[in-house]
Amino acid sequence: KNAKGAANRKKKFTLKQGADLAQDKAPFIEKKAFAFTATIAPAEDGSPDGVIIAQGGTAHGFAVYVQGGKLHFATRHDGKLTIVSAESPAPSQSYQLEGGLTADGVAALSVNGKKVASGKTPGTLTTMPIDGLQIGRDANGAVGDYREPFAYSGKINLELKIAR
C-alpha cells in the first residue's frame, strides 16, 4: 500500500500525447470523482484504436480508449474489470471528448457535447493505483481489455480535473 502523499494533490492537469506521470506525479484519484476534456485528432493513416488516457493497471485504475473503432471507459476495482462502451463509432475527424467518473460510480463519455456512453461502475477507485498516468498509451499493466501499451497514433490534448 502506498504512503499517503505518494501522489500529486493538484486538482487540474493539462496533458498531451506521450505524457507519462509516475505514481508520485500522477493525480491522486483515490476515492475521488474526476472529469476530463480532450481534443482528439485521429491519425489519418493510422488505426483509430488505442488508449487515450490510462491511470493504473490490472488491480486498480481507469482507462479511456478506442477499440474496434468505438470508445470505451474501463475501471478496475480490486482486479474486477468494468467497461462502459459507446454504441456508435468514434469520429474519424477531430473531435472533443469529455468524460469522467462521478462520486457514485457512473462512468460517462460525450463526443462533441453528445453523450455516447454512460454506465455504473463499482464506484470511485478505493485505492490509489500503483501505475502512473499516461496519455496515448497504457505503459504497464493494462486497465482495459487490450494488450499494453495499445498506443494511439493520433494527437491528444487533455485536461483532467479532480474533484475536491
Side-chain angles (χ1 to χ4, degrees):
K1 194 151 169 79
N2 67 331
K4 282 282 181 230
N8 193 324
R9 300 286 176 155
K10 272 184 7 188
K11 296 296 178 195
K12 190 170 156 188
F13 294 79
T14 302
L15 304 159
K16 283 184 160 54
Q17 172 82 13
D20 188 354
L21 305 179
Q23 184 196 35
D24 63 336
K25 303 276 189 288
F28 184 74
I29 58 173
E30 181 178 312
K31 297 182 177 77
K32 300 277 185 197
F34 58 86
F36 67 87
T37 303
T39 303
I40 312 285
E44 289 175 31
D45 57 350
S47 162
D49 291 1
V51 170
I52 292 168
I53 180 171
Q55 183 173 350
T58 55
H60 304 280
F62 80 94
V64 174
Y65 57 98
V66 182
Q67 187 177 52
K70 295 182 178 173
L71 285 156
H72 305 277
F73 192 131
T75 62
R76 290 263 183 186
H77 293 79
D78 291 320
K80 181 181 181 292
L81 177 62
T82 303
I83 302 174
V84 174
S85 301
E87 295 289 317
S88 50
S92 56
Q93 304 296 316
S94 291
Y95 61 99
Q96 190 81 11
L97 176 65
E98 292 176 354
L101 185 64
T102 63
D104 59 357
V106 174
L109 294 171
S110 296
V111 171
N112 297 330
K114 181 173 173 273
K115 188 172 279 185
V116 296
S118 180
K120 195 87 170 93
T121 72
T124 56
L125 300 175
T126 55
T127 303
M128 178 65 187
I130 294 168
D131 293 353
L133 178 143
Q134 292 92 36
I135 303 294
R137 62 196 181 93
D138 188 349
N140 298 311
V143 176
D145 188 13
Y146 50 79
R147 292 185 56 172
E148 70 274 354
F150 200 44
Y152 187 77
S153 58
K155 283 198 167 59
I156 302 166
N157 286 298
L158 185 141
E159 185 174 279
L160 178 66
K161 291 182 178 163
I162 311 302
R164 297 261 163 235

